[in-house]
């Protein structure tokens, strides 16, 4: 049962004004006076306010993280996994409350909010198993009586900069994997969604205190881009994992590279679905609509372009327009609604500018594109999802608009469709709908999709935690979550042991001192 906002915040121990930093077990109030009010995009209501951390606050957090890193890396990995397991259980207990808060603060549907918390639970389960599987390799040495192997060690502190659209799941992808790898984390959440971050750490605090763990293992710092800049410049943080726009990612990457640090980047997406004449059009329609309007088009994997084979272009276009007319737009807590609000007025402005731009370049709007006003839309953040007929080379089509606008583009051959799909700077997610096995395999081949994610008969949006998540080109090249993404959070060490009585040199080199 949904709770009142007041009761929800109380359950999650969200005060009207919260401290600026948390070192896992300790909250600290900043001496800084700069605060930010947090309003819900659902109805514009004030949820609370946060105080930004000062430079001294940030320094305190990093020092505590350094101390904790020295302790945490010596805890056996399975025992680190048991802490993550307990946190996963805590999330299960509070799934409904945290999911509702995600919906209220970010604007996604309640079901999507619950789904995001479930992703956190799933990654905790994955990380627990991983804590007993941090495997290295053994290699045969060319020298007699020698043994070679590799092992993986923690890197220390992981800095996490997350975006508003997945305010808690992406943090969990990074922090839970990093934790079982023996790292500690410093998290700067989006300034647009800080309350969910506070709630995550309130739940985490109980687990840490119960197990008598020191402060500094999981850390939270409130602030704007300045905190992110401090983290990127800080040589004490060997890895920065940043999720957001390509513009932001380039700045982070350049700053971290100057100090020869490591970056894990999950940036923009300009994702496309190819719909073949051999496709199941009913399934393709469902995937296209959800991919385009789910989370109001504010997923990094949202569908931005639909390449439709010319023989079925008009048929599928008409089906899509009809489906859009059936969309119910409104408060995300009402499960009868399909589409909630954009995150803020700035996002609405970006959306309307994209609608104008595609028309200016010669495209045609065939559905939506308006800003909704009146009762139920008082926040000013609700728009009608837009469908436009366009060309792939349009400047606006080449860009990522973080909102519910999709471009329909006709193609003749699959080779042409793949070439057009790949002809953007981003390379995150892609999909093809076809029941033709040759087309499916061509799409997945080396000459097919150039994206980090390539799907057949499912859409671009929605990824399971078991696979590595990320993309190529201006998406940043990073990989998070499943598969062997854990290796990014550790350092590889090659070891050679001589258990013989002589010292043969590699490559048969002779170095006789007698």
């Amino acid at each position: 049962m949904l709770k009142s906002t007041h009761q929800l915040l109380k359950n999650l121990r969200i005060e009207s004004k919260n401290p600026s930093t948390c070192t896992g077990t300790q909250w600290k109030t900043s001496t800084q006076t700069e605060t930010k009010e947090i309003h819900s995009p659902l109805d514009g209501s004030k949820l609370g306010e946060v105080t930004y951390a000062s430079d001294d606050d940030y320094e305190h957090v990093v020092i505590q993280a350094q101390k904790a890193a020295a302790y945490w890396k010596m805890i056996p990995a399975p025992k680190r996994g048991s802490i993550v397991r307990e946190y996963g259980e805590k999330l299960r207990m509070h799934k409904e409350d945290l999911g509702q808060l995600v919906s209220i603060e970010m604007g996604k549907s309640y079901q999507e909010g619950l789904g995001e918390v479930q992703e956190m639970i799933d990654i905790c389960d994955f990380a627990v198993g991983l804590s007993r599987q941090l495997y290295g390799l053994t290699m045969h040495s060319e020298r007699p009586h020698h043994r070679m192997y590799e092992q993986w060690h923690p890197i220390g502190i992981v800095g996490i900069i997350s975006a508003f659209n997945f305010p808690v799941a992406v943090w969990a992808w990074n922090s839970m994997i990093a934790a079982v790898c023996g790292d500690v984390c410093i998290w700067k959440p989006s300034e647009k969604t800080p309350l969910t971050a506070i709630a995550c750490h309130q739940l985490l605090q109980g687990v840490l205190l119960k197990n008598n763990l020191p402060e500094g293992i999981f850390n939270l710092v409130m602030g704007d881009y300045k905190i992110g800049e401090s983290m990127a410049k800080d040589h004490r943080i060997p890895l920065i994992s940043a999720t957001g726009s390509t513009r932001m990612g380039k700045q982070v990457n350049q700053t971290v590279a100057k100090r020869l640090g490591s970056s894990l980047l999950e940036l923009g997406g300009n994702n496309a679905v190819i719909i073949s004449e051999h496709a199941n059009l009913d399934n393709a329609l469902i995937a296209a609509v959800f991919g385009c309007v789910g989370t109001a088009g504010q997923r990094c994997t949202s569908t931005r372009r639909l390449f439709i084979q010319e023989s079925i272009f008009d048929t599928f276009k008409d089906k899509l327009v009809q489906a859009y007319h059936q969309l119910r737009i409104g408060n995300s807590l009402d499960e009868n609604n399909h589409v909630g609000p954009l995150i803020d007025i700035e996002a609405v402005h970006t959306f309307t500018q994209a609608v104008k731009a595609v028309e200016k370049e010669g495209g045609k709007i065939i559905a939506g594109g308006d800003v909704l006003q009146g009762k139920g839309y008082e926040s000013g953040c609700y728009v009608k999802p837009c469908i436009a007929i366009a060309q792939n080379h349009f400047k606006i089509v080449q860009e990522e608009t973080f909102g519910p606008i999709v471009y329909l583009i006709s193609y003749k051959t699959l080779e042409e469709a793949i070439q057009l799909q790949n002809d953007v700077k981003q390379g995150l997610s892609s999909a093809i709908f076809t029941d033709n096995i040759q087309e499916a395999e061509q799409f997945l081949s080396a000459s097919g999709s150039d994206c980090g994610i390539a799907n057949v008969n499912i859409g671009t949006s929605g990824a399971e935690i078991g696979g590595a998540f990320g993309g190529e080109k201006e998406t940043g090249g990073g990989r998070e979550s499943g598969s062997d993404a854990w290796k990014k959070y550790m350092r590889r060490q090659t070891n050679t042991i001589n258990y013989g009585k002589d010292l043969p040199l590699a490559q048969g080199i002779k170095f006789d001192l007698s």
Side-chain angles (χ1 to χ4, degrees):
M1 179 181 295
L2 296 177
K3 300 177 177 64
S4 68
T5 301
H6 173 76
Q7 184 62 47
L8 181 70
L9 297 178
K10 182 179 179 180
N11 288 356
L12 293 170
R13 295 166 57 204
I14 305 291
E15 309 296 337
S16 60
K17 186 174 181 179
N18 276 277
S20 60
T21 62
C22 177
T23 50
T25 61
Q26 300 290 328
W27 292 89
K28 187 173 184 291
T29 301
S30 177
T31 55
Q32 188 144 291
T33 57
E34 184 180 359
T35 61
K36 178 180 175 60
E37 291 187 352
I38 308 302
H39 295 265
S40 171
L42 301 186
D43 56 11
S45 62
K46 180 180 176 180
L47 299 176
E49 58 185 56
V50 296
T51 305
Y52 283 173
S54 66
D55 291 342
D56 288 342
D57 298 327
Y58 170 78
E59 186 64 20
H60 171 75
V61 167
V62 176
I63 290 173
Q64 292 304 316
Q66 284 184 299
K67 293 177 181 178
Y71 164 85
W72 188 240
K73 70 181 180 181
M74 298 308 295
I75 300 297
K79 290 188 176 181
R80 299 193 295 251
S82 71
I83 302 301
V84 171
R85 178 186 56 77
E86 288 189 38
Y87 185 55
E89 292 303 315
K90 183 79 74 168
L91 290 172
R92 283 180 170 86
M93 293 169 55
H94 295 274
K95 177 179 176 179
E96 287 74 20
D97 284 349
L98 188 54
Q100 186 178 339
L101 180 59
V102 168
S103 180
I104 291 173
E105 188 177 32
M106 184 269 152
K108 64 177 59 176
S109 73
Y110 177 50
Q111 286 300 314
E112 288 186 86
L114 293 175
E116 181 165 355
V117 180
Q118 186 61 49
E119 279 197 45
M120 300 175 73
I121 295 168
D122 292 343
I123 201 66
C124 286
D125 288 348
F126 183 90
V128 173
L130 179 64
S131 69
R132 294 181 180 271
Q133 300 182 78
L134 301 174
Y135 300 135
L137 298 174
T138 60
M139 290 79 74
H140 288 279
S141 174
E142 65 184 39
R143 290 168 285 185
H145 304 116
H146 280 61
R147 181 167 68 89
M148 294 178 64
Y149 70 98
E150 68 178 22
Q151 59 181 332
W152 296 83
H153 293 303
I155 59 173
I157 303 175
V158 175
I160 303 169
I161 302 172
S162 63
F164 75 86
N165 59 332
F166 279 85
V168 294
V170 173
W171 165 72
W173 288 0
N174 284 274
S175 61
M176 296 303 115
I177 299 296
V180 299
C181 289
D183 301 322
V184 302
C185 298
I186 299 175
W187 180 21
K188 190 209 87 67
S190 169
E191 56 266 36
K192 297 181 180 182
T193 52
L195 299 185
T196 46
I198 292 172
C200 287
H201 273 67
Q202 291 284 25
L203 297 176
L204 187 54
Q205 184 180 38
V207 174
L208 300 176
L209 290 173
K210 174 189 171 186
N211 289 276
N212 297 313
L213 291 171
E215 60 178 314
I217 297 173
F218 295 94
N219 303 276
L220 178 67
V221 183
M222 293 297 169
D224 56 15
Y225 70 94
K226 297 175 185 176
I227 293 294
E229 287 181 346
S230 296
M231 293 169 65
K233 293 176 181 176
D234 199 328
H235 68 276
R236 296 169 293 183
I237 306 178
L239 172 64
I240 297 292
S241 176
T243 304
S245 68
T246 297
R247 177 184 58 80
M248 178 276 290
K250 287 181 177 180
Q251 293 173 344
V252 169
N253 193 42
Q254 290 171 5
T255 302
V256 174
K258 285 182 180 179
R259 59 177 176 86
L260 296 181
S262 182
S263 297
L264 196 168
L265 302 174
E266 297 291 352
L267 311 176
N270 198 345
N271 315 297
V273 176
I274 297 172
I275 302 173
S276 162
E277 62 184 357
H278 303 295
N280 179 322
L281 295 189
D282 291 335
N283 287 347
L285 181 66
I286 295 170
V289 174
F290 178 71
C292 296
V293 309
T295 324
Q298 296 173 116
R299 292 183 176 217
C300 49
T301 54
S302 290
T303 304
R304 312 292 179 195
R305 298 171 295 151
L306 288 176
F307 294 103
I308 308 166
Q309 197 153 22
E310 60 180 9
S311 63
I312 59 168
F313 185 87
D314 289 336
T315 299
F316 192 82
K317 176 197 68 176
D318 293 343
K319 285 178 176 287
L320 190 66
V321 170
Q322 183 180 6
Y324 267 51
H325 287 326
Q326 298 174 36
L327 293 174
R328 292 184 293 273
I329 306 167
N331 191 305
S332 301
L333 297 179
D334 183 346
E335 294 188 42
N336 291 315
N337 291 326
H338 299 105
V339 185
L342 293 173
I343 185 65
D344 54 24
I345 298 298
E346 181 183 354
V348 173
H349 177 71
T350 300
F351 171 80
T352 57
Q353 290 300 110
V355 173
K356 293 176 182 177
V358 72
E359 289 184 306
K360 187 176 180 180
E361 291 193 69
K364 181 181 179 181
I365 305 300
I366 59 175
D370 307 313
V371 179
L372 296 173
Q373 298 175 335
K375 186 177 180 181
Y377 305 125
E378 290 85 357
S379 69
C381 297
Y382 293 86
V383 302
K384 283 187 177 181
C386 180
I387 304 173
I389 297 177
Q391 296 297 319
N392 200 62
H393 65 267
F394 286 0
K395 184 175 182 296
I396 189 62
V397 177
Q398 290 285 311
E399 299 172 357
E400 178 190 39
T401 299
F402 223 56
I405 182 169
V406 64
Y407 308 107
L408 309 189
I409 301 166
S410 175
Y411 77 89
K412 293 182 179 180
T413 67
L414 180 58
E415 290 77 11
E416 177 192 6
I418 292 173
Q419 187 273 324
L420 289 171
Q421 178 212 276
N422 293 345
D423 191 22
V424 291
K425 295 180 180 179
Q426 310 84 356
L428 179 54
S429 188
S430 59
I432 186 172
F433 274 82
T434 181
D435 288 338
N436 181 298
I437 191 170
Q438 284 81 16
E439 288 187 333
E441 291 295 336
Q442 183 175 345
F443 178 75
L444 299 176
S445 72
S447 61
S449 171
D450 65 358
C451 295
I453 298 170
N455 298 327
V456 175
N457 293 334
I458 61 171
T460 62
S461 190
E464 298 183 30
I465 59 94
F469 180 90
E472 301 301 322
K473 300 187 292 189
E474 288 196 355
T475 299
R479 293 296 187 275
E480 294 173 331
S481 190
S483 186
D484 65 349
W486 62 270
K487 293 180 178 180
K488 188 70 174 180
Y489 305 91
M490 304 194 81
R491 60 182 177 87
R492 186 196 309 251
Q493 185 181 80
T494 300
N495 307 114
T496 305
I497 299 172
N498 177 4
Y499 58 91
K501 296 182 179 180
D502 299 318
L503 185 63
L505 302 178
Q507 292 86 46
I509 294 174
K510 302 295 183 182
F511 193 74
D512 191 357
L513 295 178
S514 60

